[in-house]
Amino acid sequence: MPGASSTRAPVARPQGAALRPHRGDLWWWMRWPSRDGTPDSSTGVPLTPVERTSDAVRRIVGVMAAVEDG
């Protein structure tokens, strides 16, 4: 309903993807907004090894769609 105020709390949205070391190799990571003073370097989740970029893209698109749907 246009103009109506929302009572939902803001949803934390992914900030982007980055390559970071994980399990002795480079992996794609999805970064999330920092909460409660947590350093940005530790806010994220590993997605896939760097060789599987298409898998990382699929996971990122899935998460973004879920966030948009609420």
Side-chain angles (χ1 to χ4, degrees), residues 8-66:
R8 274 203 257 169
V11 176
R13 299 184 64 137
Q15 296 283 313
L19 287 173
R20 294 182 52 201
H22 179 65
R23 298 182 182 176
D25 207 354
L26 278 178
W27 279 54
W28 285 105
W29 284 68
M30 184 176 297
R31 295 182 306 183
W32 295 86
S34 179
R35 291 186 182 180
D36 303 326
T38 306
D40 287 338
S41 62
S42 64
T43 57
V45 292
L47 297 174
T48 64
V50 69
E51 305 86 31
R52 296 172 45 195
T53 301
S54 60
D55 290 346
V57 170
R58 254 190 307 281
R59 292 188 68 187
I60 291 168
V61 168
V63 168
M64 295 299 288

